[in-house]
Each structure stands twice: as C-alpha cells, then as structure tokens.
Amino acid sequence: VETGAHLRYAILGNHDWHQGKNASMAQLSRVADTDDDEWHMPSTPVYTVTESVGDAIVKLVMVDTTTLAPHVTRKTRDVYGTPELVQANLAKVDAAIAAAADDATWLIVAGHYPVRSVGDHADTLQLTKLLLPILLARGVDAYLCGHDHSLQSLVDVPTGLRFVVSGNGAKLEASVQEFWSPLFAKAHAESTVNVEFTSLANGFTAHVLTRHAMTTTFCGRDPDVALFAATQAPRRDKCARADVTTCPGWADSSEEDRGKSGGGGTWKIGAS
C-alpha cells in the first residue's frame, strides 16, 4: 500500500515465509537497520497506520495473513501451523482492529491472502472462518488483498464491507468468474456477497477518501482510463468492545463453523 507521502506500507505474504523465518524477519529489520525512509513494515502479525484526511481519521490495519492461515501451503503449515500460534496471532489482530475502530472514520484492513475471491485461489477458508467474523463485527469498511492475480470488487450486501483484490501488477491468472455464475452461486449458497467487478487485465487500484465517501478505482495499463469505480460510505457500526463476540454485528455462527481450520484444532478469539 502506498500513500500520498510515498511511504510504502508492506506486509508479508506466503512467498516471503516460504524463504524461511530469517528471510521474513530481515524485511522487518530493514525499517530499523537501514536509512530507507520509504519502507515501512515494523512488525508482524499486525501493525496499524493512522492517516488524517481533512477531518476524517483513516486507520489502516496491516495483517500478515500467513500467520492466520498457515495451512494454505505445506511450506508454512509444517513450520507455523500450530493452533497455539494461530490463536495468539488472531488475538493480536483482533485487538489491533478493535483499537483502530475506537476513533476511526474509515477502518481498512489489508493482507496478502483474500478473504473473498472468485479468482484461481478462491476464498481462503481459514480466513473466512477466523478473520471474516471480526471484519463484519468490528465495522471494517474494506479488506484489501492480493495473492489472486486478478482485479476484483466484491461487497457483503448487508453490511457494505468491500473486498478488493488487486494482485495482477505483473502475472495474470488463467481465469476468473466474470459474472455470478451457477458454479459460483452453488459454492457460495449461504453467501451474501455480490460480485461487482472482475478483470484479468494488468492493473492496480487507487482509493480516494473524504469524510463521507471512499472511491475505489481499478486502473489498467492506461491509468487515465478507469476499468471500474465504486463509491461507498463509511460503516456506522464500528465496534471497539474488548470482546468481539459482544459486538452487535458478531455472526451467530457456531464455534465449529467459526473456529476450525484445515490444520486441526479449534481456535478462539482471545488472549494468547
């Protein structure tokens, strides 16, 4: 994520962790050990950036999603995939989002893995079980991600939570669900997500915020020609309560549906 101040707010992805923990931690130490004043990634599994846009407060919560979904690949599962580690990381992420929700006009969460996606990788199952209920309950306005090499805009209709996938600055995927197909509908029979836009074109996204609106624009090779644009208002149901399960928007789902993942074990939100 790059802001107007030319600071690059980075977060680790699965390929960073594939190189081993030492390689991943070297990217964190770059902030303190070099004079690179444009690189910003001070910690993992989460850190928060605060920006002011006029009288609006923007909170950007950067999440290392590999630490929440280590079982996506074998290279991270075998090293980082214990339930205890995932539970501890999930508690830190929820606490950071809660703190940001306390005074945010706009609450945006960013990570590498998608939560919702109609691309080649599709939804990240562990994140739909663990992170999605937090995003909905805390009043998060948008979740930004990459991983899938496509452009996508999806919206949770009841809440307005927008899922933005922007992962094709270079490599392109072979396919993407261009519309709400019968195949996608069957796979998401209980979903309230509307697929607004998908594209396999190379491109990127830009986000312009005021106090009352955020416009997300999908740009292709020609940045002056928008492929798609969507404007939303900030959610008014932001919740900073210490226990996320007491937030009005907490999904009424069972512990089994919410807390289990492919690696075995049941993980709850709370202190590590």
Side-chain angles (χ1 to χ4, degrees):
V1 178
E2 185 173 351
T3 68
H6 302 296
L7 284 173
R8 292 174 174 85
Y9 297 108
I11 199 69
L12 297 172
N14 58 300
H15 288 283
D16 300 302
W17 284 108
H18 287 176
Q19 308 307 313
K21 186 174 182 179
N22 288 341
S24 299
M25 293 304 102
Q27 297 189 55
L28 301 183
S29 63
R30 175 179 173 180
V31 176
D33 297 346
T34 72
D35 59 359
D36 186 349
D37 58 1
E38 293 186 347
W39 179 264
H40 190 75
M41 185 169 60
S43 63
T44 185
V46 63
Y47 69 91
T48 301
V49 177
T50 301
E51 297 279 351
S52 295
V53 180
D55 60 348
I57 298 174
V58 181
K59 294 294 182 77
L60 179 62
V61 182
M62 306 292 287
V63 177
D64 181 354
T65 51
T66 305
T67 66
L68 300 184
H71 295 84
V72 172
T73 70
R74 180 175 297 177
K75 290 181 179 179
T76 54
R77 179 194 66 192
D78 295 341
V79 181
Y80 315 109
T82 69
E84 293 77 16
L85 281 175
V86 173
Q87 179 180 333
N89 292 328
L90 184 66
K92 293 175 183 177
V93 168
D94 179 53
I97 297 175
D102 186 51
D103 62 348
T105 311
W106 291 98
L107 179 54
I108 300 169
V109 177
H112 180 70
Y113 284 146
V115 175
R116 294 296 193 198
S117 170
V118 292
D120 280 357
H121 293 104
D123 295 352
T124 305
L125 179 60
Q126 285 179 284
L127 297 186
T128 63
K129 302 293 187 183
L130 299 176
L131 184 59
L132 179 58
I134 296 174
L135 301 180
L136 294 171
R138 294 290 185 197
V140 172
D141 296 293
Y143 177 79
L144 316 181
C145 72
H147 195 57
D148 266 325
H149 299 282
S150 56
L151 297 173
Q152 303 177 44
S153 178
L154 308 93
V155 177
D156 181 71
V157 176
T159 64
L161 168 61
R162 184 177 304 278
F163 303 94
V164 176
V165 181
S166 180
N168 59 342
K171 180 181 178 181
L172 297 178
E173 289 183 345
S175 64
V176 71
Q177 295 287 348
E178 292 289 346
F179 303 102
W180 188 279
S181 69
L183 179 64
F184 182 82
K186 181 178 180 181
H188 296 73
E190 304 301 323
S191 176
T192 57
V193 173
N194 179 41
V195 183
E196 289 187 322
F197 168 76
T198 63
S199 176
L200 291 176
N202 287 117
F204 61 94
T205 58
H207 310 269
V208 178
L209 296 92
T210 67
R211 182 172 185 83
H212 302 291
M214 177 172 74
T215 298
T216 298
T217 303
F218 291 80
C219 303
R221 292 179 182 272
D222 183 350
D224 295 324
V225 179
L227 301 175
F228 177 79
T231 300
Q232 65 188 93
R235 290 178 61 185
R236 300 184 181 276
D237 57 345
K238 293 178 174 61
C239 180
R241 296 178 184 177
D243 183 355
V244 68
T245 64
T246 66
C247 290
W250 180 254
D252 184 20
S253 58
S254 69
E255 180 181 295
E256 181 179 2
D257 289 339
R258 188 173 60 247
K260 289 187 177 179
S261 93
T266 299
W267 302 319
K268 299 179 181 179
I269 299 164
S272 60

